[in-house]
Amino acid sequence: MDFSLNEHQEMVRDMVRSFAEDRIRPGAGERDVSGEFPFDIIREMGELGLLGMMVPEAYGGADMDVLSYLLAVEELARVDASVAVTMSVTNSVCCWPILTFGTEKQKERYLRPLASGEVIGGFMLTEPSAGSDAASLTTRFRQEDDRYVLNGSKAWITNAGVGRYFVCLATEDPSKRAHGISAFILDAEQPGVIVSRPEEKMGLRSSKTSMVTLEGAEVPLDAMLGERGQGFKIALATLDHSRLGIAAQAIGIAQAALEESVRYARDRRQFGRPLIEHQAIAFRLAEMDTELTAARQLLHHAAWAAGRPGRHSRESARAKLYASEMVNRLVAWAVQIHGGYGFSREYTVERLYREARVTTIYEGTSEVQKMVIARALTTEVT
Ligand code: COS
């Protein structure tokens, strides 16, 4: 068993790390306050191939493996989780399902602009009354001559207002639950797509998230993704993939929390010596390092599973569950180590504390991840 990264993966990690340090870190704190979306940075990331990382070169992508993508997400999140989520959403819930379930024509048409960063992508599943119970969604579609027409409300849509192409789930009959749902590639640049004011979020403040109302939104017939009635399976397979990105985001935030804590514990003196020479603090840092490494190994194992044929729902759920719960413990400890300074906006750990919070919630709560894992257990144990 070899735990090392290959040369290519190391190169991607190093390249993203230096881009994140040079271009993203300088304005991260300011953007957190202003909520300004970093269009320039996202465009540059497109030029670097970071928005279509797993898209083959034939469609303008960087043609990289899942682990390279996850390393990139981690490096971005270590510096600015808002940028990381904008990037991971475009890669994993927009490019990935189009690549996996799309027709040749759809791949040619939608992946190229997404992979180059010309446009940003997203995913419209959640609704005001359909969160964890995703099959209860009520956004309706009907066919009208040469197009589908969609009506309903989508909630918590990341990249709404800044993105153009969205994989959108809608039903032809809510009573059919999962089996009535189809997936569409929706172009948000049309009058039938109405984006509300961005949500005022606790963290990830410079990534944009809004409610979207579909009022007669039109989708051409050839922009249905996969077969009619297969949308729910497409959505869940997409989430199996995208949850890896959220785990990577959690790991990046945790890495930053650990680094900030070690630095602070080395510099800050109390009772005549640096904090790190107090066993209570040193042991806490050791626990942080261990939990972080455990989460990373679980994620890399899930990335390996994702590269194999068949479903990897349970591996993704475990990685996302553990990493997101882990980061919330770590950021709380990081704030504690910083004492009063950790409660101040002047210190990065305050932002990390807020950024971490959503990771146990979006792309499936911790409770949903446990449902996925527990269901696998019930069928596995005889
Ligand atoms: N990949 C592909 N197909 C899947 C799947 C997966 N990971 N998981 C389930 N399916 C299939 C099932 O096999 C079933 O198909 P059949 O009816 O043909 O047998 C169908 O999908 C319905 O599955 P199930 O009955 O298990 O669906 P549930 O309504 O019970 O939902 C959970 C299961 C809770 C796991 C799902 O609703 C979920 O993940 N919810 C959270 C949604 C989420 O993450 N929201 C955040 C949105 S993005 S911010």
Side-chain angles (χ1 to χ4, degrees):
M1 195 177 293
D2 183 358
F3 287 98
S4 55
L5 301 177
N6 66 33
E7 211 177 300
H8 188 75
Q9 290 158 343
E10 279 184 7
M11 198 187 72
V12 171
R13 185 197 56 197
D14 295 348
M15 181 273 282
V16 180
R17 182 172 296 179
S18 80
F19 176 76
E21 289 294 345
D22 297 347
R23 289 288 295 121
I24 303 178
R25 190 181 293 284
E30 237 168 74
R31 287 191 300 273
D32 174 55
V33 175
S34 69
E36 191 184 332
F37 185 80
F39 283 104
D40 289 358
I41 289 173
I42 300 297
R43 202 186 48 246
E44 283 177 53
M45 283 167 53
E47 285 162 13
L48 289 173
L50 297 178
L51 296 181
M53 288 191 73
M54 293 159 290
V55 173
E57 277 173 25
Y59 307 113
D63 207 4
M64 292 184 195
D65 64 351
V66 184
L67 187 52
S68 298
Y69 156 68
L70 296 172
L71 293 167
V73 176
E74 179 184 335
E75 291 302 328
L76 295 172
R78 177 177 160 269
V79 170
D80 185 343
S82 293
V83 172
V85 76
T86 303
M87 172 269 197
S88 76
V89 160
T90 300
N91 273 285
S92 67
V93 287
C94 192
C95 289
W96 189 85
I98 296 174
L99 183 62
T100 309
F101 302 102
T103 61
E104 201 49 42
K105 198 171 157 203
Q106 289 170 345
K107 293 181 201 178
E108 193 52 54
R109 170 155 182 213
Y110 299 105
L111 290 178
R112 203 169 282 284
L114 285 162
S116 67
E118 188 192 319
V119 303
I120 296 170
F123 187 59
M124 296 186 183
L125 172 66
T126 303
E127 299 184 355
S129 301
S132 292
D133 183 8
S136 68
L137 65 84
T138 57
T139 290
R140 298 292 283 255
F141 79 88
R142 62 171 195 278
Q143 190 174 336
E144 257 181 30
D145 307 323
D146 60 345
R147 59 188 180 274
Y148 297 106
V149 178
L150 276 58
N151 286 288
S153 296
K154 293 290 179 182
W156 294 105
I157 304 306
T158 301
N159 292 343
V162 296
R164 176 159 181 187
Y165 296 138
F166 290 79
V167 171
C168 178
L169 286 303
T171 179
E172 51 195 311
D173 178 359
S175 71
K176 289 188 183 165
R177 284 187 51 94
H179 298 279
I181 297 172
S182 297
F184 303 88
I185 306 171
L186 177 71
D187 183 344
E189 279 188 12
Q190 57 166 305
V193 177
I194 301 145
V195 179
S196 302
R197 215 164 28 89
E199 302 288 349
E200 282 293 341
K201 296 177 295 184
M202 176 193 287
L204 305 183
R205 292 178 46 77
S206 70
S207 86
K208 294 297 144 203
T209 310
S210 303
M211 170 91 97
V212 177
T213 309
L214 305 177
E215 276 182 12
E218 297 186 353
V219 176
L221 292 186
D222 62 5
M224 177 180 273
L225 187 59
E227 303 279 306
R228 193 165 181 154
Q230 293 296 303
F232 192 67
K233 290 183 185 179
I234 291 175
L236 291 192
T238 300
L239 288 168
D240 283 344
H241 191 272
S242 69
R243 285 168 184 163
L244 301 170
I246 304 304
Q249 185 194 341
I251 290 165
I253 299 170
Q255 177 67 40
L258 176 61
E259 290 173 25
E260 294 293 334
S261 300
V262 171
R263 267 185 221 114
Y264 186 83
R266 268 195 321 235
D267 294 347
R268 170 84 169 165
R269 297 176 71 87
Q270 288 292 279
F271 302 102
R273 54 200 162 112
L275 290 188
I276 204 161
E277 288 177 21
H278 292 278
Q279 198 178 55
I281 302 295
F283 278 15
R284 183 60 92 198
L285 293 170
E287 282 171 0
M288 289 166 80
D289 176 66
T290 306
E291 291 208 18
L292 173 55
T293 305
R296 198 179 272 122
Q297 295 301 341
L298 208 45
L299 176 62
H300 290 196
H301 174 264
W304 168 81
R308 291 164 63 85
R311 272 172 57 177
H312 53 93
S313 313
R314 184 188 188 180
E315 288 85 353
S316 292
R318 276 185 194 140
K320 201 255 183 198
L321 171 65
Y322 188 78
S324 61
E325 295 289 339
M326 174 279 300
V327 71
N328 278 282
R329 286 191 293 276
L330 259 68
V331 291
W333 291 336
V335 168
Q336 191 69 18
I337 289 168
H338 282 69
Y341 294 108
F343 198 55
S344 159
R345 291 217 154 171
E346 287 198 18
Y347 280 74
T348 305
V349 289
E350 185 270 343
R351 171 165 60 89
L352 300 176
Y353 187 83
R354 289 182 287 103
E355 286 177 343
R357 189 61 193 88
V358 74
T359 62
T360 63
I361 299 170
Y362 65 7
E363 299 202 10
T365 59
S366 288
E367 292 72 18
V368 163
Q369 310 313 316
K370 289 178 195 173
M371 282 168 72
V372 172
I373 298 164
R375 284 181 183 189
L377 277 175
T378 55
T379 53
E380 178 184 274
V381 177
T382 50

